[in-house]
């Protein structure tokens, strides 16, 4: 008998019908002879709605209380799912993240899992139950307060439980048929990827492909847990994310390894750009700006420093960060204005990031040139650039993002012949 961890995202359990459909699917896995642990997200856009509600009460709600509020979303879906499974004649028990042994640090709203002690889950499945676990939440080791793992965090809960329970596989069920070469909501001709390495998936996820959260992929790579991303709305095979490529045997008996040169195009419109204007061009300035940001526990993404104007000896430094951290960053820098010594701050939340990802880039010198050519042919202006060994990213105007993604996708020959990229549900929020 195997042990399967399944995760169902918000769009898969958006309403009572969805919950009943997912319940059937979980029962099928059990009937196929597996022990089943199902991690579930909040119904539909519940988490966004709860955040909106909190902001109406207080523009900067306390992290501890926001976590208390948001974890209620997953409690609703876990209990309903357990009820639906019982209705089908099978035993199910629901557990909060804390009951499931998800132990985190104490950073509210983006806690990191530091340990998983799934004793109660193990006992529950050993007794023949299906265990349902609330995703996205844990309990702080130090403060014993309830924490959340950051938006999309149920993916991480699933992989962390799969690792702790030594599961055979972690299945992530969502509203598309797997990982595609671009977001199917933007590129109708995106192709489903059969297999992708942890490395390429990590870059795609970190660059905004929210089909998997990057912390979840990091975790899966560290513990070598294969992930199968697939739709809860269809019976199709999805995408395998693992360290070992799938080897296929062709009709002629040849063995073929699926390893694409370019894995895909990711985009992200959740970031903003802060420009610190009029910074003295002398050692220590960048250090004090980014120390201020780090002390406010804000993660930044890209950084550029302009060439300083010779006449003034002043320069500008721009960086990108999640929009949700924008207010905090501006406040922290303003507070330290005299210490750092700059003229003013500019904040721009109408930016988007487009990234091209693929291990083939390491050995293929033309990729960067082709990427920029595709953007220029589409009339897209580039504001910032950053690269890694297997990724190139640019920042553009937010309005240009859909067109830019489609242009790059076509230019790298990623378009499929058929429109296979089906989006089954969700609002894309
Ligand atoms: P869930 O609620 O199941 O966690 P998410 O909305 O977090 O679902 O993630 C699924 C969504 O990710 C898809 O609906 C799709 O719009 C988006 N997405 C972005 N990039 C990709 C990609 N490369 N492949 C598949 N889906 C992607
Ligand atoms: N419900 C949480 C969110 O919307 C966690 C998740 O869906 O993974 O971010
Ligand atoms: Mg998600």
């Amino acid at each position: 008998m195997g042990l399967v961890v399944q995760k169902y995202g918000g769009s898969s359990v958006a309403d009572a019908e969805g919950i009943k459909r997912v319940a059937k699917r979980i029962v099928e896995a059990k009937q196929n002879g597996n022990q089943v642990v199902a991690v579930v997200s909040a119904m539909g856009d519940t988490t966004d709605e709860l955040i909106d509600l909190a902001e109406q009460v207080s523009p900067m709600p306390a992290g501890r209380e926001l976590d208390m509020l948001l974890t209620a979303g997953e409690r609703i879906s876990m209990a309903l799912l357990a009820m639906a499974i019982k209705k089908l004649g099978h035993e199910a028990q629901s557990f909060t993240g804390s009951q499931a042994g998800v132990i985190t640090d104490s950073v509210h709203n983006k806690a990191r899992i530091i340990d998983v002690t799934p004793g109660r889950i193990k006992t529950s499945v050993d007794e023949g139950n299906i265990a349902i676990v609330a995703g996205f939440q844990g309990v702080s080791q130090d403060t014993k307060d309830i924490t959340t793992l950051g938006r999309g965090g149920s993916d991480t809960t699933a992989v962390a439980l799969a690792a702790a329970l030594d599961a055979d596989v972690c299945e992530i069920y969502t509203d598309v048929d797997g990982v595609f070469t671009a977001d199917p909501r933007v590129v109708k001709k995106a192709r489903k990827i059969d297999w992708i390495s942890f490395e390429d998936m990590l870059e795609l996820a970190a660059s905004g492909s929210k089909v998997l959260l990057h912390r979840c992929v990091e975790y899966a790579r560290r513990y070598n847990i294969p992930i199968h991303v697939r739709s809860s709305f269809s019976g199709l095979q999805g995408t395998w994310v693992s360290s070992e490529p799938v080897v296929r045997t062709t009709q002629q008996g040849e063995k073929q390894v699926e390893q694409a040169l370019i894995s895909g195009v990711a985009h992200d419109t959740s970031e903003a750009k802060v420009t610190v204007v009029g910074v003295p061009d002398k050692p220590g300035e960048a250090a004090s700006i980014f120390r201020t940001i780090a002390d406010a526990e804000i993660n930044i993404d890209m950084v550029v420093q302009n060439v300083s104007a010779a006449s003034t000896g002043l320069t500008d430094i721009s960086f990108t960060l999640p929009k949700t951290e924008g207010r905090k960053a501006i406040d922290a820098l303003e507070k330290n204005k005299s210490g750092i010594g700059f003229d003013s701050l500019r904040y721009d939340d109408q930016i988007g990031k487009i990234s091209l990802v693929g291990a083939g880039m390491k050995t293929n010198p033309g990729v960067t040139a082709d990427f920029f050519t595709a953007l220029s042919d589409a009339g897209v202006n580039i504001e910032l650039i950053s690269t890694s060994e297997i990724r190139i990213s640019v920042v553009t105007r937010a309005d240009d993002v859909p067109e830019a993604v489609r242009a790059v996708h076509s230019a790298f020959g990623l378009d499929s012949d058929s429109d296979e990229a089906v989006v089954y549900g969700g609002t894309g929020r």
Side-chain angles (χ1 to χ4, degrees):
M1 188 161 55
L3 193 151
V4 182
V5 174
Q6 301 187 328
K7 177 255 167 176
Y8 293 90
S11 49
S12 298
V13 292
D15 52 20
E17 281 318 304
I19 288 176
K20 288 197 247 175
R21 190 171 42 79
V22 164
K24 271 198 206 130
R25 197 138 192 169
I26 294 172
V27 165
E28 269 166 34
K30 176 94 199 295
Q31 283 171 333
N32 287 340
N34 300 296
Q35 291 189 318
V36 186
V37 176
V39 174
V40 69
S41 294
M43 295 170 70
D45 291 333
T46 301
T47 308
D48 289 295
E49 288 156 13
L50 291 172
I51 291 173
D52 290 348
L53 193 58
E55 283 171 355
Q56 287 172 44
V57 175
S58 158
M60 291 254 270
R64 179 186 186 278
E65 303 313 323
L66 189 61
D67 278 350
M68 254 338 184
L69 178 72
L70 297 189
T71 49
E74 270 71 13
R75 271 199 182 217
I76 294 172
S77 47
M78 76 179 194
L80 290 170
L81 190 53
M83 290 174 198
I85 292 172
K86 279 172 185 280
K87 175 81 177 32
L88 295 175
H90 289 260
E91 285 309 315
Q93 287 182 324
S94 63
F95 298 91
T96 64
S98 165
Q99 288 174 325
V102 179
I103 319 273
T104 71
D105 63 19
S106 53
V107 183
H108 283 293
N109 312 150
K110 52 180 178 190
R112 272 185 186 272
I113 296 177
I114 49 184
D115 195 11
V116 182
T117 51
R120 290 191 69 181
I121 305 299
K122 188 94 194 58
T123 307
S124 179
V125 293
D126 284 347
E127 286 171 353
N129 298 297
I130 292 167
I132 312 292
V133 178
F136 172 60
Q137 53 180 267
V139 60
S140 157
Q141 189 170 49
D142 298 337
T143 63
K144 308 290 180 234
D145 281 330
I146 298 299
T147 53
T148 61
L149 308 176
R151 297 307 306 273
S154 300
D155 294 346
T156 317
T157 306
V159 170
L161 271 174
L165 291 163
D166 197 18
D168 298 285
V169 63
C170 181
E171 297 183 323
I172 305 276
Y173 285 91
T174 183
D175 54 13
V176 288
D177 281 312
V179 180
F180 285 73
T181 47
D183 186 342
R185 283 178 209 272
V186 174
V187 183
K188 289 281 158 269
K189 292 201 172 299
R191 262 192 294 118
K192 188 173 81 190
I193 300 169
D194 292 328
W195 171 79
I196 184 167
S197 65
F198 284 132
E199 282 65 31
D200 279 16
M201 190 64 234
L202 207 53
E203 290 281 357
L204 280 177
S207 309
S209 296
K210 71 168 184 161
V211 63
L212 283 182
L213 192 71
H214 85 277
R215 273 194 188 169
C216 133
V217 187
E218 248 169 27
Y219 215 100
R221 180 172 65 169
R222 186 166 351 127
Y223 293 96
N224 201 18
I225 307 288
I227 305 179
H228 187 189
V229 183
R230 56 195 310 197
S231 167
S232 72
F233 298 79
S234 81
L236 296 175
Q237 274 284 311
T239 302
W240 282 92
V241 188
S242 68
S243 53
E244 290 300 319
V246 175
V247 181
R248 290 180 184 282
T249 310
T250 63
Q251 282 175 340
Q252 289 74 36
E254 280 172 28
K255 297 231 179 285
Q256 278 187 345
V257 176
E258 298 226 4
Q259 169 67 295
L261 291 183
I262 298 295
S263 283
V265 187
H267 72 276
D268 190 355
T269 48
S270 70
E271 294 190 343
K273 182 171 74 173
V274 173
T275 303
V276 188
V277 182
V279 181
D281 195 0
K282 61 177 175 44
E285 283 300 312
S288 61
I289 289 173
F290 292 108
R291 174 61 52 210
T292 303
I293 296 297
D295 287 347
E297 290 188 336
I298 297 168
N299 292 318
I300 56 155
D301 183 11
M302 293 186 187
V303 180
V304 275
Q305 174 169 344
N306 285 347
V307 179
S308 72
S311 55
T312 60
L314 296 177
T315 184
D316 297 344
I317 295 181
S318 297
F319 60 92
T320 61
L321 78 178
K323 276 180 196 166
T324 49
E325 308 274 35
R327 185 73 265 156
K328 207 158 63 160
I330 296 289
D331 287 352
L333 288 169
E334 283 292 358
K335 232 197 227 142
N336 250 345
K337 186 170 178 184
S338 53
I340 302 168
F342 58 86
D343 284 343
S344 60
L345 295 173
R346 275 207 302 266
Y347 182 71
D348 178 358
D349 62 3
Q350 293 305 306
I351 61 161
K353 184 172 74 170
I354 297 126
S355 306
L356 183 72
V357 171
M361 232 176 259
K362 278 187 213 171
T363 48
N364 216 320
V367 172
T368 309
D370 292 347
F371 181 62
F372 291 142
T373 304
L375 291 170
S376 108
D377 289 349
V380 174
N381 190 42
I382 298 169
E383 298 180 15
L384 304 179
I385 301 170
S386 93
T387 61
S388 82
E389 256 198 322
I390 62 168
R391 173 187 53 79
I392 319 170
S393 304
V394 293
V395 166
T396 66
R397 288 292 89 204
D399 290 347
D400 286 337
V401 165
E403 192 46 45
V405 171
R406 286 191 282 267
V408 171
H409 195 266
S410 291
F412 282 89
L414 297 173
D415 287 355
S416 81
D417 303 330
S418 60
D419 285 354
E420 62 171 333
V422 183
V423 179
Y424 296 92
T427 57
R429 190 170 172 184

